[in-house]
Amino acid sequence: MNYELTSHNSFAALLDAAVDSIIVSDSTGIMLVVNPAATKLFGYQKKEIMGKNIKMLMPEKDNLHHDGYMKNYLETGQRKIIGLGRETTGVKKDHSVFPMYLSVGHIKNSDGDNFVGIIHDLTTRQQQQRQLEQHEIEIRKLQEKLAHVARISTLGEMVTGIAHEINQPLTAISTYAQGSIRMLNSKAADTTELLAAQQKITGQAERAAQVIGKIRNFAKKTNIKHQPQNCNALISEVASLAEVHAKELGVTLQLQLSEHPDLLVMVDGIQVQQVALNLINNAIESMTNAQDQKQVIIRTTKLDENTAEISVHDNGEGLAEALEEQMFDAFFTTKSAGLGMGLAICQSIIASHQGIIRFRRNPDKGCTFSFTLPTAVGITL
Ligand SMILES: Nc1ncnc2c1ncn2[C@@H]1O[C@H](COP(=O)(O)OP(=O)(O)O)[C@@H](O)[C@H]1O
Ligand SMILES: [Mg+2]
């Protein structure tokens, strides 16, 4: 179709039909044409704004510069907004400020210079954007909560081992303390022996405190924060926590750390430890009924400049091929006391780190789970 705006009527019809606001002003900013969409948007009657300065529709900060912009453009042709478009704000009759996209064109005719402004209201778009952002924040909070609940539940599953791990130093402390009392009661108390007993007590108390410290750190409620972390340190620490569960089931853990001691990953440390602990615990549990040596190998590797990989290898019973596809589904479990949330949470945590979690059947026995993480390239601690 070809519209030729030759007659005044078709120009008026176009202005009336336009969804966006159209305002024509002269070079001093006096409004000469205002279409219905504009009066509606700004909340004025046509007669209230016709012949007034366009500055009344702008917030004070723009309004102060407006004359300068126009003058400057007309004198120098320098464009700040004229001939271009930009997001800015407008002011309605009720003084409320709203976001808008403004494009301004220069009309040169026999009467002099006029300007046409086309205004697109961005209120709805901005609201939608805010809602979307709010939604994303809520999802992140939910993921944080879910991950936290899962960590507590993992610790719950490990509680017997943990109790054992703490009970050992407590028993030792009690034994050394009783020995010290006996020595003190007998007349011939030997200070060297007493000192040795006190040192043993201190050492054991520190050991118990370390176990509690690790558990407290792991059980903490934290906001997700991605920062450079030493990959080997993260995994060694979590392996020592898993040791508790391993010992209980007669499994040995073997750590094979990357030869890059400064391998840094850009991650939320606790969440990554949570993934590793889940995989290690699953590996340990897969060997409950195994006859031969029960061993889990935990490996950290630098795949390339941008990627690190952590893998957990077991020689357990594996899983029936038909069930492999469901492994990462929420609530899928083959254990009588399993919750089936472990791998589902691992997957969501790794996805939020732009990583990939994979499962592979070992050629001989058992399986290997691995996940990738982004390295903190160029960032040094
Ligand atoms: N290392 C593994 N070896 C064999 N099967 C595994 C291994 N890891 C996970 N699975 C299977 O995947 C299922 C889901 O694991 P997970 O989501 O951690 O839940 P849960 O440990 O509570 O069962 C397990 O019940 C098990 O059948
Ligand atoms: Mg599990």
Side-chain angles (χ1 to χ4, degrees):
M1 265 184 282
N2 185 13
Y3 286 117
E4 285 209 358
L5 301 179
T6 44
S7 76
H8 179 75
N9 274 350
S10 52
F11 179 57
L14 183 130
L15 284 178
D16 282 354
V19 178
D20 282 337
S21 304
I22 300 173
I23 298 174
V24 179
S25 74
D26 69 11
S27 62
T28 63
I30 298 299
M31 290 185 268
L32 309 172
V33 177
V34 179
N35 79 337
T39 52
K40 186 163 169 241
L41 175 63
F42 286 91
Y44 287 100
Q45 303 278 339
K46 195 170 176 180
K47 58 177 188 286
E48 288 177 296
I49 49 174
M50 284 293 281
K52 300 256 173 67
N53 197 296
I54 198 158
K55 285 191 282 191
M56 70 190 281
L57 307 178
M58 301 173 187
E60 221 161 306
K61 63 171 175 37
D62 293 341
N63 157 347
L64 287 174
H65 301 298
H66 186 252
D67 289 342
Y69 280 155
M70 282 200 166
K71 208 160 158 280
N72 185 44
Y73 168 75
L74 288 173
E75 281 168 9
T76 67
Q78 208 180 61
R79 293 166 171 203
K80 285 226 160 67
I81 184 164
I82 295 158
L84 311 164
R86 66 163 177 178
E87 276 185 32
T88 176
T89 45
V91 179
K92 300 194 187 205
K93 185 179 175 182
D94 64 8
H95 305 296
S96 60
V97 177
F98 68 97
M100 62 187 211
Y101 188 85
L102 170 67
S103 42
V104 181
H106 180 195
I107 313 167
K108 226 178 163 61
N109 56 24
S110 50
D111 314 338
D113 295 290
N114 286 346
F115 292 94
V116 56
I118 300 179
I119 294 158
H120 182 68
D121 184 9
L122 296 179
T123 312
T124 321
R125 198 188 79 179
Q126 202 178 59
Q127 275 168 354
Q128 281 169 344
Q129 211 161 353
R130 283 217 189 104
Q131 272 172 359
L132 208 66
E133 279 163 12
Q134 195 56 37
H135 201 63
E136 274 166 15
I137 292 173
E138 274 162 26
I139 287 178
R140 212 176 47 233
K141 277 196 196 144
L142 268 176
Q143 207 235 11
E144 265 167 25
K145 268 195 200 152
L146 182 65
H148 182 241
V149 169
R151 283 203 296 278
I152 302 288
S153 128
T154 305
L155 287 175
E157 287 163 17
M158 297 166 71
V159 77
T160 331
I162 291 169
H164 182 71
E165 198 66 14
I166 295 171
N167 216 18
Q168 269 185 338
L170 288 182
T171 312
I173 289 170
S174 173
T175 312
Y176 291 123
Q178 279 165 15
S180 305
I181 292 169
R182 262 200 310 277
M183 278 190 261
L184 287 167
N185 274 337
S186 76
K187 300 283 172 287
D190 180 342
T191 22
T192 323
E193 269 182 54
L194 263 179
L195 192 66
Q198 297 312 304
Q199 276 162 349
K200 292 254 169 57
I201 288 176
T202 314
Q204 293 295 324
E206 274 165 12
R207 186 178 144 197
Q210 268 172 14
V211 177
I212 292 173
K214 266 183 246 162
I215 290 160
R216 270 174 81 171
N217 188 38
F218 193 70
K220 225 170 24 190
K221 230 187 196 156
T222 57
N223 298 326
I224 298 174
K225 204 156 79 196
H226 290 204
Q227 50 193 16
Q229 302 266 1
N230 185 301
C231 186
N232 284 350
L234 271 185
I235 301 304
S236 312
E237 193 180 289
V238 82
S240 72
L241 192 58
E243 196 73 56
V244 167
H245 196 40
K247 263 195 220 157
E248 197 192 340
L249 295 169
V251 176
T252 51
L253 298 186
Q254 197 195 333
L255 259 181
Q256 292 181 356
L257 297 178
S258 154
E259 70 278 18
H260 299 277
D262 300 325
L263 179 57
L264 293 184
V265 282
M266 193 68 180
V267 298
D268 181 87
I270 291 196
Q271 288 209 337
V272 165
Q273 288 189 323
Q274 173 170 9
V275 173
L277 186 63
N278 267 325
L279 299 183
I280 299 170
N281 278 347
N282 277 348
I284 294 169
E285 285 156 16
S286 78
M287 293 187 281
T288 322
N289 302 317
Q291 299 302 324
D292 31 309
Q293 205 205 1
K294 305 178 183 183
Q295 192 180 46
V296 175
I297 303 168
I298 305 152
R299 200 171 286 151
T300 61
T301 325
K302 182 178 175 182
L303 287 189
D304 57 48
E305 266 327 291
N306 305 310
T307 328
E309 186 188 66
I310 290 104
S311 67
V312 179
H313 172 286
D314 66 61
N315 54 352
E317 344 188 286
L319 186 71
E321 212 175 326
L323 297 176
E324 278 174 13
E325 260 187 31
Q326 301 168 51
M327 214 161 21
F328 289 93
D329 292 351
F331 304 114
F332 172 78
T333 180
T334 53
K335 300 169 194 166
S336 54
L339 196 62
M341 283 305 289
L343 288 178
I345 286 169
C346 289
Q347 199 168 43
S348 92
I349 291 178
I350 295 307
S352 76
H353 283 82
Q354 273 88 49
I356 300 171
I357 184 162
R358 287 193 191 92
F359 156 83
R360 190 176 74 230
R361 239 168 316 133
N362 295 335
D364 43 353
K365 218 167 174 292
C367 46
T368 303
F369 282 83
S370 62
F371 58 93
T372 58
L373 292 173
T375 57
V377 188
I379 303 170
T380 41
L381 278 183

